[in-house]
Amino acid sequence: MNLEPLNLGRLGFGAAGIGNLYKAIPDGEALATVLAAWDSGFRYFDTAPHYGLGLSEQRLGAVLRDKPREDFVISTKVGRLLEANPGGASAKDDEGFDVPATSRRVWDFTEAGIRRSIEDSLERLGLDHVDIAYLHDPDVHDLQAGISQALPALEKLREEGVVKAIGVGTNSSEAALECVEAADLDLVMLAGRYTLLEQPSVPLLDRCVERRTGVVNVGVYNSGLLARPEVPDDAHYNYHRAPREVVERARALAAVCRDFGVELPTAALQFPLRHPAVVNVTVGASRPEQVTSNASRMQESVPEELWDALEALGRD
């Protein structure tokens, strides 16, 4: 792995929100959110065809193609192609994005499908290349096909210079570990599995250190559970209403943070970077103020004693 030329920085911008994740936002607000990220110093941006049936890529590209190309790093994902869906304009997407179902997602892990996916993404972005390509959710579709077909195809594209780095993006630390063992990956984008609340993916991260595979950690707020200083009764966790015991666990973490003058979201954002495998934390946003808040939290000073106290809480 040689990620130095990519300059990911500590904090990245995740563009699912500007693809109308869960709710529609106006074009102007989406573009203002990306501009706020740029103005706050973000230089790594992640998107995917899956996000809003291409809307995320279109909106992200509308801002970034006016910026010096050498000044930012962009990643997108492969594995799902977008095909026209005749008659879908009157229906809504059924995978969490508030957009018309004018396209449908088609799984394709073949080399031809992956090459087409990147070409289609470049057209939506309005850019001549992306820096990083991740295989998206292989465990959701067909992990073995991802390992035997898609990852070798990505390795070939990297050899050809089509992309600078390759990886896998998944919610499953087990699937990610299989991919790390099977291919020469530069990165793993791991969602929601290494957070202040839960750390079941440590074996994966330790192996990534040995393999020199960087981890881009996402989902650090556990679907919003850790996103506010005070944890509300109706907090979400793993995209659903959080069970009572999980809410209480998050409140215990928040209380320890308060004792050290640190807000829970600040600790949640900075925690993953303590592991040597984690090279970047990427967070989503759909409003400019969310971006500026995340940027500010990443710069805050956190006393080492807080981490010791949180570790002790985890042992109790």
Side-chain angles (χ1 to χ4, degrees):
M1 179 189 74
N2 181 17
L3 296 176
E4 283 301 317
L6 289 181
N7 246 352
L8 298 183
R10 298 174 74 207
L11 191 58
F13 177 84
I18 64 167
N20 288 0
L21 180 63
Y22 304 133
K23 63 179 181 179
I25 59 174
D27 283 339
E29 186 168 1
L31 301 183
T33 301
V34 180
L35 282 169
W38 184 271
D39 292 341
S40 297
F42 290 69
R43 291 298 180 267
Y44 172 47
F45 300 84
D46 175 70
T47 183
H50 174 59
Y51 302 157
L53 296 172
L55 180 62
S56 171
E57 290 181 320
Q58 292 166 2
R59 285 172 161 174
L60 189 61
V63 174
L64 294 184
R65 60 176 168 260
D66 290 332
K67 305 298 183 185
R69 185 61 188 87
E70 65 276 10
D71 287 357
F72 64 88
V73 175
I74 188 167
S75 58
T76 193
K77 304 183 182 75
V78 300
R80 291 176 175 94
L81 291 172
L82 299 182
E83 302 280 4
N85 184 26
S90 59
K92 289 286 189 180
D93 177 54
D94 61 0
E95 294 201 30
F97 295 90
D98 190 353
V99 294
T102 51
S103 299
R104 60 188 182 91
R105 301 168 182 85
V106 178
W107 291 103
D108 192 333
F109 282 4
T110 67
E111 181 179 337
I114 286 171
R115 288 181 182 273
R116 182 185 148 195
S117 182
I118 291 177
E119 290 168 2
D120 290 350
S121 289
L122 292 177
E123 185 173 343
R124 287 187 290 266
L125 288 162
L127 299 173
D128 63 358
H129 71 280
V130 293
D131 301 287
I132 304 164
Y134 296 105
L135 177 62
H136 204 181
D137 295 331
D139 51 305
V140 175
H141 175 51
D142 185 338
L143 180 58
Q144 293 312 309
I147 289 171
S148 65
Q149 295 182 57
L151 294 183
L154 284 174
E155 289 178 312
K156 188 174 180 181
L157 289 175
R158 182 180 57 192
E159 290 169 9
E160 295 173 5
V162 175
V163 294
K164 297 176 183 176
I166 61 169
V168 59
T170 176
N171 290 276
S172 168
S173 58
E174 294 82 9
L177 183 56
E178 285 196 51
C179 292
V180 167
E181 297 289 7
D184 178 22
L185 301 184
D186 301 292
L187 292 164
V188 167
M189 177 168 276
L190 185 66
R193 299 281 73 83
Y194 186 66
T195 72
L196 195 60
L197 186 77
E198 55 176 312
Q199 298 94 43
S201 59
V202 170
L204 164 68
L205 269 59
D206 292 345
R207 185 61 174 139
C208 283
V209 171
E210 294 170 354
R211 296 274 288 172
R212 294 178 52 80
T213 300
V215 174
V216 173
N217 209 45
V218 300
V220 296
Y221 294 140
N222 283 117
S223 300
L225 181 69
L226 308 181
R228 286 171 278 190
E230 304 294 334
V231 183
D233 288 335
D234 63 349
H236 280 69
Y237 168 71
N238 279 358
Y239 311 107
H240 300 288
R241 178 86 174 252
R244 186 69 190 176
E245 63 271 18
V246 174
V247 170
E248 293 305 324
R249 166 74 175 152
R251 286 174 173 167
L253 293 171
V256 173
C257 290
R258 277 195 303 275
D259 289 343
F260 290 87
V262 176
E263 292 188 337
L264 178 63
T266 299
L269 190 65
Q270 294 194 27
F271 166 76
L273 288 165
R274 295 177 56 76
H275 196 288
V278 178
V279 297
N280 174 275
V281 171
T282 287
V283 287
S286 56
R287 300 193 308 273
E289 56 267 28
Q290 293 173 334
V291 170
T292 54
S293 174
N294 286 328
S296 176
R297 290 188 184 283
M298 186 58 88
Q299 297 303 317
E300 290 181 26
S301 177
V302 175
E304 191 67 28
E305 293 79 10
L306 170 59
W307 304 121
D308 295 338
L310 290 169
E311 185 177 342
L313 178 66
R315 291 195 299 266
D316 292 344

